[in-house]
Amino acid sequence: MIGFFKGRKQEEPIDIRNRFNWIDELENQKLDLSSQDFEARLTEIKSVHPFLKSEDGQRLIQSLYDDMIGIGFPEESIKIELDLLSEIFSLKTLDLMFFNPSNGLGNSFHEGQFQDLVEVDQSYSYLVVPKGLILVVGSSNTILPVITSIVLSYICGNVTVCQLSKLNGGVISKFIDGIPSQCSAYTHYIGLDHADPVDVGILKQALIEVPWNVINVWGGEDANNFYFRNVAKNPARPRVLNMEPLTGIVIIQKSYLQNNQKKVSAELARSICEMGQQLCSSPTEGYIVDDCDSDDEVDAFFTDLIDDLERRFVDFENFETSYFKLDRMLTFAQDHQSRVHLSKKYGNKISVIQSKDQSVFEHLDDTQSVSIHERRNFLELIRVGSFASLLGLIRRVGQKHTHREIKKVQTILVFGDQGFNTEVLRLAKKVGAYRVVDSRYIFERHPLEALDGSHLINEFTYHLSVIGSVPYQQPG
Amino acid sequence: MAGPFSGYGIESDLRIENSPTSTDPYYQELSDVLSSGNILETYSFEDTTKLQQRLLYPYLEYFIRNDNNNYYKNLFYNRGIAKNKKGELKSDLQLHDLIKLRTHSDDLRGDGQKDRLVKHAVGSDSGMFFKSSGTTVGTTGPVDVFRSNLTLSLSRLTNGNLIDWSIGKKIDHGECLFHMAPEMTDFLAFAAIGSDFLRHRGLDVSFGAKVNSGPADTTIWQRIGPDIGEMRKFFSSPSDTKYFIASGVGLYKMFMEPVGLRKFAMKLMLNAPPVYLGKDGVLMIGGGLKRLPEEITSLSQVVQATGENIIAGDNRNGDPAPVIDMLGLTESINVFIGVPTSPFSDEPWVKYPHPLTYVALLNSPNDLTPVENPEPGKEYLLFYVNLMTLDYVEAIVPGDFVLASEAKGTITTALGDRNVAQPGFIYSRRAEQNEGFKIREGCG
């Protein structure tokens, strides 16, 4: 009979405030930040770069490295991320990002000084003002994009809340808490678990009830669906800034290739190898546009490319069943008259497919295709007879099972002469690509460039228009 | 309802004379090889290699001759086996070139086998479809393989060779109980082929499970239950040659899982354990670790725990029955057979192929190169070609890792010494499901 008369456990109603007591402070923090000086925050963040070079900074970086190794991140990718982390905070990068003539703050930098009120003409001026409250949703596999969002959001004058994966959330907060900045005071973490129904309830409540100004989602199909669906019910109508999985392609002019074989091979190999081909900019499909009269094949180029890929090979990890699927893809390609070039040294961990006219994988079903998320050092190069056929091929990139979840082409890597490259630029406009680059910028981001078409600083601020003939001073 | 087991199973008369392929020279050649006695008992490693080399071109030419829609002519050319698409084979082919024709088990799921079938097997009702249990994670349905009566007729011979060789005598009398339901002989290769062979040899075949009625949306696996009457009958039979054929999970559920009252009830119902198999009785097991609880990490744990209760004899004084573990795959017409072993032996369970099964051990999933001299104890990937499967090129990478075993020409088993015709291997594990590290989602 024991327990028979025991009352039912009272279930706590779902309330985000019960879990996160700082929720009610967010409005005050917004006011607090808006009364602070933008330039002071920028100067403060500029001090992070020398700090990271100091002993304390190096200890922090080492500690992040250890944590990430413990989580199971591939060693190579950790090194790359942590190197870039330091780079983001360099004075040059920060100045270029913030006083970028191609974004909204460029005009605020006047004669070496930052000025709030930018006078465009006698009757029109504007202030660049923080949007207020930013929710950053991070993915579990990288730290860099989320840290960039947090820091830029802070410099812009926003309060930032981060929904991070349990996997790497601790690494990100450790970094923000460890740098010499007030950023951590204005950054909060929710770390709710998508697998826990109570947490999901709280997250939904947060998305619907908290008056976010911007929700910056770094994630795949499922994450974006979840956030878009729930944010739609938020009466504050937050702007959703989603960074989805994209891919890169490479377009090569055959005559240029014939004259620059070694260079193209080396640079293309580098573009594929960096970060295990997992960057949205890494080429995962390519085209050799045949602009020559001769029927010469470019077989030697494929040999060079495999050699260069072998030289740069980093064994990120083994995933056994994916290799079976990969082998099935490769034999499918063989069976459909594509040529398969493999590494003698690393087997199908390096695979280059040589196809003609169209991707051999267009008719491959999902049971047989290893998506670009699951494979490394894999490129299909398709020889096409005319430039005109590229438009259709590129439009179909994301429709293949090999490119599932890929929304569009982000980066076009181009190897050609000036006339050819100009054609590629016109094509990029038609397919809605975000970047046309040389091989250096597969890996690197130019501090002035937009991120998938958006400048984060623009997204985290807005222009307060000052119109008419009433005189003002710099508000300070 | 043509099958011999309550209407289920492989039909007794395979009527191979009706198959036009039965006059094919390659079939004739195989028949000659298999009618010359049990080659497992006499062939050396060298003899086996010579036989396989001798059959290589006839085997490939068989598929060109019997090609449907030019599938093999194109395949052989695309994979670098033939000079052109007309089926002219290259002149310097070796056995290891067979890896070029590989099929992964996943290729045989759903309709995967359909395009690969030769003429006599297309749309044929002279044969059966076998399905895997569908337990492999991350796949799309079970492996589904058609076997023509012609291939099944050869399987009677080759699997018969294997079991005779393992037991150490020609099996031609006794009783056997499959710890499965007769319905399963309609689709489960191990049940169908095993029961067919034993029935064909004149043994009494019974089944220790039955399919209960249940909701329409349940699978056969969910409705299967013990057939107490059949088991009791088998266990109490005074025959001195009883073969008890069970899966690891079957043994576990019968003799390990029940404790206390349930154990007592089990004993009351079955009059077992102990199980007396007669002085020549053998326990045959298969199915690996499928459906066993996590704490069971090897089948030897199961046979050790049940060894004292499954006895070769008719009373408590008998020795524990020897165990033969078999690796049966839906996508292999032949089993890979173990040899009789004491359930308490610490020796590794080596599996041996029939000489008509060419086996190569491959480097790794990302390098499918056959290894010339595999290092004993080292892990490799299994690849095999069943040269007697006549319905499609059964050159399979099943996704299983095995350890190379020491290549000995003779071995000692619990039931005497055995000639070894081809090196064996020790089953290690299935390939791991791991999709790896992805950053694209957060790349931007």
Side-chain angles (χ1 to χ4, degrees):
Chain A
M1 299 290 276
I2 295 171
F4 189 81
F5 296 107
K6 211 166 154 184
R8 284 187 59 198
K9 190 184 169 191
Q10 192 71 37
E11 282 184 10
E12 278 184 12
I14 289 176
D15 186 354
I16 190 168
R17 285 163 185 81
N18 290 341
R19 185 77 75 90
F20 305 110
N21 53 17
W22 41 258
I23 287 280
D24 292 327
E25 289 302 308
L26 293 176
E27 277 303 313
N28 287 338
Q29 285 204 314
K30 272 168 64 177
L31 290 174
D32 194 18
L33 266 178
S34 70
S35 64
Q36 290 176 19
D37 185 21
F38 162 81
E39 218 175 357
R41 286 190 300 272
L42 181 59
T43 307
E44 180 193 301
I45 290 296
K46 283 180 177 174
S47 72
V48 173
H49 189 254
F51 165 76
L52 292 176
K53 301 283 175 200
S54 71
E55 272 186 31
D56 285 348
Q58 287 297 300
R59 262 197 296 279
L60 175 62
I61 294 288
Q62 182 61 44
S63 167
L64 301 182
Y65 176 87
D66 294 343
D67 289 352
M68 291 170 83
I69 286 284
I71 292 165
F73 281 73
E75 198 178 342
E76 277 304 313
S77 75
I78 300 173
K79 283 180 188 160
I80 292 170
E81 279 216 281
L82 293 178
D83 281 351
L84 281 176
L85 191 57
S86 170
E87 188 57 36
I88 282 178
F89 291 94
S90 80
L91 305 191
K92 193 178 163 198
T93 308
L94 285 169
D95 277 344
L96 282 171
M97 278 202 285
F98 275 92
F99 305 121
N100 181 347
S102 70
N103 77 14
L105 270 165
N107 295 330
S108 304
F109 197 59
H110 189 65
E111 293 174 357
Q113 293 289 313
F114 177 80
Q115 54 183 33
D116 268 350
L117 186 65
V118 180
E119 190 179 314
V120 180
D121 69 19
Q122 284 181 342
S123 61
Y124 179 70
S125 306
Y126 67 86
L127 292 164
V128 179
V129 179
K131 280 198 175 156
L133 185 57
I134 313 290
L135 174 67
V136 177
V137 180
S139 68
S140 60
N141 298 313
T142 54
I143 59 167
L144 205 57
V146 171
I147 288 177
T148 308
S149 283
I150 293 170
V151 171
L152 294 186
S153 169
Y154 167 68
I155 299 173
C156 289
N158 297 296
V159 177
T160 310
V161 176
C162 302
Q163 160 58 17
L164 301 178
S165 154
K166 283 210 157 70
L167 198 66
N168 63 2
V171 177
I172 291 167
S173 60
K174 184 187 260 188
F175 178 78
I176 298 295
D177 291 348
I179 56 175
S181 157
Q182 289 297 303
C183 180
S184 63
Y186 297 99
T187 305
H188 305 280
Y189 304 93
I190 49 180
L192 293 165
D193 184 355
H194 278 264
D196 179 335
V198 176
D199 276 15
V200 171
I202 294 174
L203 187 55
K204 282 182 182 170
Q205 188 192 18
L207 292 176
I208 295 165
E209 292 181 15
V210 178
W212 311 106
N213 297 98
V214 176
I215 298 183
N216 177 200
V217 184
W218 299 83
E221 189 76 1
D222 292 346
N224 272 293
N225 286 344
F226 177 84
Y227 286 97
F228 268 93
R229 203 169 45 241
N230 288 292
V231 171
K233 298 173 199 157
N234 189 319
R237 303 269 183 259
R239 162 152 165 68
V240 181
L241 174 63
N242 57 314
M243 298 299 182
E244 295 195 271
L246 306 173
T247 192
I249 57 169
V250 57
I251 303 178
I252 304 169
Q253 183 184 22
K254 188 175 166 189
S255 57
Y256 181 87
L257 173 65
Q258 285 174 332
N259 296 323
N260 299 275
Q261 187 175 301
K262 296 280 175 198
K263 172 185 149 68
V264 175
S265 163
E267 292 185 1
L268 180 54
R270 179 182 167 209
S271 308
I272 296 168
C273 286
E274 276 164 341
M275 292 292 275
Q277 211 183 8
Q278 291 302 290
L279 297 169
C280 289
S281 47
S282 300
T284 56
E285 187 167 303
Y287 314 95
I288 298 174
V289 181
D290 196 346
D291 61 339
C292 309
D293 290 334
S294 68
D295 279 343
D296 294 349
E297 285 291 341
V298 282
D299 291 1
F301 166 68
F302 285 90
T303 312
D304 281 352
L305 184 57
I306 294 285
D307 285 349
D308 284 322
L309 286 166
E310 281 180 350
R311 257 191 290 284
R312 291 185 161 273
F313 180 75
V314 174
D315 202 359
F316 272 84
E317 73 248 273
N318 282 308
F319 20 71
E320 295 175 343
T321 49
S322 293
Y323 287 127
F324 296 131
K325 229 196 240 184
L326 176 59
D327 187 58
R328 295 172 67 207
M329 267 181 93
L330 298 176
T331 49
F332 177 91
Q334 265 184 300
D335 294 347
H336 290 79
Q337 284 75 52
S338 286
R339 289 178 63 186
V340 175
H341 304 266
L342 301 178
S343 161
K344 287 198 169 60
K345 213 166 164 185
Y346 302 110
N348 64 18
K349 284 187 176 181
I350 295 176
S351 328
V352 179
I353 318 295
Q354 189 179 352
S355 299
K356 205 176 160 192
D357 296 333
Q358 64 168 356
S359 168
V360 70
F361 302 121
E362 286 199 3
H363 304 294
L364 188 67
D365 67 33
D366 62 335
T367 63
Q368 211 169 344
S369 57
V370 182
S371 82
I372 58 171
H373 313 291
E374 299 169 69
R375 67 191 199 206
R376 313 281 180 265
N377 302 305
F378 181 106
L379 181 71
E380 183 186 16
L381 275 174
I382 303 157
R383 198 185 80 181
V384 294
S386 73
F387 198 94
S389 55
L390 291 181
L391 181 64
L393 290 171
I394 296 170
R395 281 185 173 156
R396 295 202 295 275
V397 164
Q399 292 166 14
K400 294 193 288 281
H401 289 293
T402 52
H403 284 70
R404 60 173 173 262
E405 287 193 21
I406 297 299
K407 296 292 175 199
K408 64 198 294 193
V409 168
Q410 181 205 58
T411 298
I412 300 179
L413 170 66
V414 59
F415 293 103
D417 62 27
Q418 196 176 29
F420 182 83
N421 298 348
T422 309
E423 284 296 306
V424 170
L425 209 51
R426 288 193 190 106
L427 179 67
K429 282 163 66 181
K430 290 180 190 164
V431 299
Y434 291 126
R435 314 166 77 219
V436 178
V437 300
D438 69 26
S439 66
R440 182 179 153 197
Y441 286 100
I442 291 296
F443 182 55
E444 285 181 38
R445 293 300 176 136
H446 196 289
L448 296 178
E449 74 169 285
L451 210 55
D452 298 349
S454 304
H455 285 285
L456 279 183
I457 292 163
N458 283 2
E459 298 294 337
F460 293 160
T461 57
Y462 72 96
H463 283 194
L464 191 166
S465 297
V466 183
I467 307 157
S469 56
V470 180
Y472 300 92
Q473 286 181 333
Q474 285 292 337
Chain B
M1 295 291 277
F5 309 116
S6 313
Y8 301 103
I10 297 172
E11 52 193 319
S12 310
D13 182 2
L14 293 172
R15 294 164 308 184
I16 54 168
E17 62 282 1
N18 293 348
S19 169
T21 317
S22 63
T23 58
D24 187 281
Y26 183 62
Y27 174 76
Q28 296 295 336
E29 193 160 1
L30 291 177
S31 301
D32 290 348
V33 171
L34 292 169
S35 62
S36 62
N38 190 347
I39 56 178
L40 274 119
E41 290 167 4
T42 54
Y43 270 34
S44 64
F45 292 169
E46 234 181 20
D47 296 334
T48 300
T49 306
K50 274 186 195 160
L51 170 71
Q52 292 173 348
Q53 275 169 348
R54 178 163 65 80
L55 292 177
L56 177 62
Y57 278 90
Y59 173 71
L60 296 171
E61 283 158 2
Y62 164 83
F63 285 98
I64 293 167
R65 251 191 327 273
N66 292 280
D67 205 355
N68 182 45
N69 288 334
N70 293 324
Y71 178 85
Y72 286 106
K73 288 189 191 86
N74 289 329
L75 183 83
F76 291 177
Y77 174 68
N78 292 331
R79 303 284 180 95
I81 293 277
K83 290 179 211 164
N84 51 37
K85 289 188 179 177
K86 293 176 197 159
E88 269 183 75
L89 296 171
K90 285 187 176 171
S91 56
D92 55 350
L93 297 177
Q94 301 293 323
L95 283 170
H96 59 72
D97 285 315
L98 287 169
I99 186 65
K100 293 177 184 162
L101 300 179
R102 64 190 173 275
T103 297
H104 292 269
S105 295
D106 286 342
D107 287 321
L108 298 174
R109 294 181 192 279
D111 283 338
Q113 193 203 19
K114 203 172 160 191
D115 290 343
R116 296 170 161 85
L117 290 173
V118 296
K119 270 183 209 155
H120 76 243
V122 177
S124 169
D125 55 1
S126 294
M128 285 179 80
F129 282 92
F130 297 110
K131 286 181 169 53
S132 66
S133 58
T135 47
T136 304
V137 181
T139 54
T140 50
V143 169
D144 198 350
V145 177
F146 175 79
R147 307 285 186 192
S148 68
N149 282 355
L150 202 65
T151 298
L152 292 172
S153 73
L154 291 172
S155 135
R156 278 183 185 162
L157 301 173
T158 51
N159 284 305
N161 285 166
L162 285 161
I163 296 178
D164 289 346
W165 169 80
S166 176
I167 297 273
K169 65 178 182 190
K170 191 168 170 73
I171 293 181
D172 53 11
H173 74 281
E175 290 177 28
C176 67
L177 178 91
F178 280 80
H179 191 231
M180 44 193 85
E183 285 85 342
M184 289 170 164
T185 61
D186 258 3
F187 64 89
L188 202 62
F190 185 74
I193 292 171
S195 60
D196 173 64
F197 151 74
L198 291 165
R199 181 208 52 75
H200 184 67
R201 286 287 185 87
L203 275 75
D204 287 336
V205 178
S206 57
F207 295 87
K210 60 184 175 188
V211 177
N212 298 312
S213 53
D217 59 348
T218 54
T219 66
I220 190 168
W221 298 100
Q222 289 166 311
R223 286 181 283 129
I224 200 150
D227 189 330
I228 301 292
E230 285 294 319
M231 278 201 273
R232 206 179 157 90
K233 196 169 116 196
F234 176 77
F235 292 154
S236 59
S237 160
S239 169
D240 59 6
T241 308
K242 292 197 282 187
Y243 302 115
F244 183 28
I245 302 161
S247 60
V249 68
L251 286 182
Y252 175 85
K253 288 208 174 286
M254 252 192 298
F255 301 130
M256 290 173 74
E257 193 180 54
V259 288
L261 266 180
R262 287 189 61 206
K263 188 175 180 179
F264 178 72
M266 186 72 84
K267 167 95 181 157
L268 209 64
M269 282 189 295
L270 295 178
N271 197 25
V275 173
Y276 299 113
L277 297 180
K279 69 177 174 51
D280 294 328
V282 174
L283 170 65
M284 297 184 196
I285 56 170
L289 295 173
K290 275 176 192 163
R291 297 191 180 90
L292 278 163
E294 271 179 18
E295 63 269 22
I296 306 290
T297 55
S298 76
L299 271 188
S300 64
Q301 262 175 278
V302 177
V303 296
Q304 278 187 22
T306 56
E308 293 290 0
N309 283 320
I310 302 176
I311 292 166
D314 54 11
N315 61 61
R316 270 281 181 198
N317 298 327
D319 290 330
V323 182
I324 298 174
D325 180 39
M326 289 182 259
L327 175 62
L329 302 165
T330 308
E331 59 274 37
S332 176
I333 188 69
N334 280 349
V335 294
F336 296 94
I337 201 158
V339 291
T341 308
S342 158
F344 303 108
S345 165
D346 292 328
E347 291 291 307
W349 291 2
V350 182
K351 305 285 181 297
Y352 295 92
H354 192 280
L356 288 176
T357 301
Y358 163 72
V359 170
L361 303 187
L362 312 177
N363 256 328
S364 69
N366 62 288
D367 177 10
L368 303 174
T369 310
V371 178
E372 241 176 72
N373 293 303
E375 202 180 304
K378 194 175 165 189
E379 193 175 68
Y380 299 96
L381 197 62
L382 179 64
F383 169 66
Y384 60 85
V385 184
N386 281 321
L387 299 170
M388 80 305 288
T389 296
L390 298 180
D391 310 319
Y392 74 113
V393 167
E394 196 159 68
I396 307 286
V397 178
D400 292 303
F401 284 90
V402 298
L403 308 176
S405 71
E406 281 187 49
K408 294 179 189 166
T410 310
I411 51 164
T412 301
T413 77
L415 296 177
D417 290 349
R418 300 282 182 274
N419 169 70
V420 178
Q422 191 173 194
F425 56 80
I426 299 147
Y427 187 85
S428 178
R429 64 186 175 90
R430 289 285 295 165
E432 280 169 15
Q433 290 281 338
N434 176 3
E435 289 197 332
F437 158 76
K438 301 175 191 173
I439 65 170
R440 199 174 303 268
E441 289 182 354
C443 174

